C-alpha cells in the first residue's frame, strides 16, 4: 500500500531517510489556504500529482500561485473520473512537491525476503517537458548509462534507503530518481518491474529480468550482469491531436542504422 500511494511513500521517506525525498504536502482543495500552505511548506517551482495514479496523469509543473490554483482546480475536476477509469479504490488525493532539477534515471532492484538487494544497471530518462512539450510523459528511456562510480554508489545507497523505508520484500522494485546538486532524490518506488525493462535489460545486458523477478519471490538469488554489449532506446510519442495512425514512412531506414 505504501509503494502505491505517493503520500504515504513520502511520509515513510521523511521518517527514515529524509535526505532522499523532496519537500511535499497534501492538498484537499484549490483554496487560498491550500495555496498558502504549499508556499510555506514547499515553495516554487512545484509539481502537482495524484497520490495513486500512474503514467504522468494530471502531473503539472507550477511556478506561481496563479498557475498552482489553476492546476489544482483542473485536477480536482478530473481526478474522480480518472481514479474510476484506472480502477483505483482509494480516496482521490493530490500532493504538491518540490520540482526537482537534474538528470533523471531509474533502477530496477531485486529484493530478497531477508532484505538483501541486487541492482540492475541504471536507465536514463528524457521527459516530454525537457524537449519542449508541456507534459511529463517519458519521451525516451535509454541504456547503457555512463555514471561515475561515485555517483552510481550514491544512487544505489539512495535506492536501498528508500526500499528499506517502505519495507518491500521478495519482489522487484522500480525506482525513479533525480540526480540533483543536493544529491540523489527519489521520485517514486513501484513494487514491480519497470516498463520495457524486460526487453531493455535482455538486449543490452543479457539479463533475464522476468526470470529474476520470479527467483527473488522463490527465495533464489537473481543473476545480474553489469557489462553492456549493445545500446537501446525506447521512445513514447504522443500526437498533439487525437487521430488514427495510417502509415510509417521510411521504416526500412531504421533497420539500416548501425
Amino acid at each position: 500500500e505504501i509503494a502505491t500511494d505517493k503520500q504515504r511513500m513520502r511520509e515513510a521517506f521523511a521518517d527514515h531517510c529524509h535526505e532522499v525525498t523532496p519537500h511535499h504536502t497534501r492538498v484537499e482543495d484549490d483554496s487560498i489556504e491550500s495555496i498558502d500552505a504549499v508556499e510555506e511548506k514547499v515553495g516554487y517551482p512545484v509539481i502537482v500529482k495524484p497520490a495513486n495514479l500512474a503514467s504522468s496523469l494530471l502531473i503539472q509543473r507550477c511556478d506561481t500561485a496563479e498557475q498552482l490554483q489553476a492546476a489544482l482546480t483542473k485536477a480536482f475536476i478530473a481526478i474522480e473520473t480518472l481514479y474510476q477509469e484506472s480502477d483505483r479504490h482509494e480516496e482521490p488525493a493530490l500532493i504538491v512537491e518540490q520540482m526537482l532539477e537534474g538528470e533523471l534515471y531509474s533502477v530496477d532492484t531485486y529484493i530478497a525476503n531477508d532484505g538483501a538487494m541486487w541492482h540492475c544497471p541504471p536507465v536514463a530518462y528524457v521527459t516530454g517537458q525537457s524537449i519542449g512539450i508541456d507534459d511529463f510523459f517519458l519521451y525516451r528511456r535509454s541504456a547503457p548509462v555512463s555514471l561515475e562510480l561515485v555517483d552510481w554508489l550514491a544512487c544505489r545507497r539512495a535506492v536501498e534507503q528508500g526500499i528499506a523505508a517502505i519495507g518491500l520484500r521478495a519482489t522487484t522494485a522500480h525506482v525513479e530518481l533525480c540526480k540533483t546538486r543536493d544529491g540523489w532524490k527519489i521520485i517514486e518506488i513501484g513494487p514491480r518491474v519497470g516498463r520495457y525493462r524486460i526487453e531493455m535489460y535482455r538486449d543490452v545486458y543479457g539479463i533475464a529480468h522476468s526470470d529474476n523477478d520470479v527467483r527473488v519471490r522463490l527465495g533464489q538469488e537473481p543473476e545480474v550482469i553489469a557489462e553492456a554489449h549493445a545500446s537501446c532506446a525506447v521512445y513514447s510519442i504522443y500526437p498533439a491531436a487525437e487521430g488514427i495512425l495510417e502509415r510509417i514512412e521510411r521504416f526500412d531506414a531504421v533497420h539500416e542504422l548501425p
Side-chain angles (χ1 to χ4, degrees):
E1 291 177 353
I2 296 174
T4 55
D5 186 310
K6 295 180 181 65
Q7 172 69 14
R8 294 186 63 186
M9 187 185 303
R10 290 276 177 261
E11 292 171 352
F13 293 161
D15 289 341
H16 299 281
C17 49
H18 62 87
E19 66 273 18
V20 305
T21 187
H23 300 301
H24 69 283
T25 187
R26 175 171 173 156
V27 291
E28 306 293 342
D29 52 42
D30 58 354
S31 66
I32 297 298
E33 290 76 17
S34 292
I35 304 299
D36 291 341
V38 170
E39 292 177 343
E40 178 182 350
K41 297 179 180 179
V42 184
Y44 297 102
V46 298
I47 291 288
V48 177
K49 59 174 63 172
N52 309 103
L53 295 181
S55 301
S56 77
L57 292 172
L58 292 185
I59 295 180
Q60 298 181 72
R61 171 179 174 149
C62 304
D63 295 288
T64 65
E66 291 75 20
Q67 291 178 0
L68 177 59
Q69 188 161 43
L72 292 176
T73 299
K74 177 182 176 181
F76 278 116
I77 291 173
I79 193 168
E80 287 200 20
T81 299
L82 284 173
Y83 266 62
Q84 292 172 3
E85 291 175 350
S86 301
D87 198 28
R88 304 298 311 193
H89 303 292
E90 303 89 349
E91 188 72 22
L94 287 174
I95 61 173
V96 180
E97 64 184 35
Q98 173 189 8
M99 174 69 188
L100 297 174
E101 302 284 355
E103 302 168 3
L104 298 178
Y105 300 91
S106 72
V107 174
D108 275 20
T109 295
Y110 309 117
I111 312 156
N113 194 49
D114 63 2
M117 300 182 202
W118 297 265
H119 306 287
C120 291
V123 170
Y125 281 171
V126 172
T127 65
Q129 188 192 53
S130 66
I131 61 169
I133 301 173
D134 188 21
D135 200 333
F136 281 89
F137 69 89
L138 289 179
Y139 170 66
R140 186 179 73 214
R141 303 163 175 86
S142 61
V145 173
S146 295
L147 274 180
E148 296 289 340
L149 179 59
V150 63
D151 290 328
W152 175 226
L153 293 176
C155 173
R156 287 167 49 178
R157 174 169 170 75
V159 168
E160 290 166 2
Q161 289 178 305
I163 290 173
I166 293 175
L168 289 175
R169 294 289 187 274
T171 187
T172 303
H174 175 62
V175 188
E176 297 183 341
L177 311 96
C178 184
K179 181 174 173 279
T180 74
R181 290 179 299 177
D182 300 321
W184 290 88
K185 305 293 183 182
I186 296 179
I187 299 170
E188 65 181 59
I189 297 177
R192 58 179 177 83
V193 300
R195 184 173 296 179
Y196 306 122
R197 293 313 185 278
I198 292 173
E199 295 83 2
M200 293 184 74
Y201 283 140
R202 178 194 67 209
D203 293 346
V204 177
Y205 298 98
I207 296 174
H209 198 35
S210 183
D211 291 355
N212 283 340
D213 184 47
V214 175
R215 286 191 181 104
V216 293
R217 298 169 193 272
L218 294 175
Q220 301 173 9
E221 186 170 328
E223 298 175 5
V224 178
I225 303 169
E227 184 177 353
H229 57 76
S231 297
C232 177
V234 178
Y235 290 81
S236 297
I237 301 171
Y238 298 89
E242 191 171 324
I244 298 173
L245 179 63
E246 294 182 342
R247 67 183 180 277
I248 300 176
E249 297 182 358
R250 301 194 65 220
F251 196 72
D252 289 343
V254 175
H255 290 292
E256 294 169 3
L257 294 172

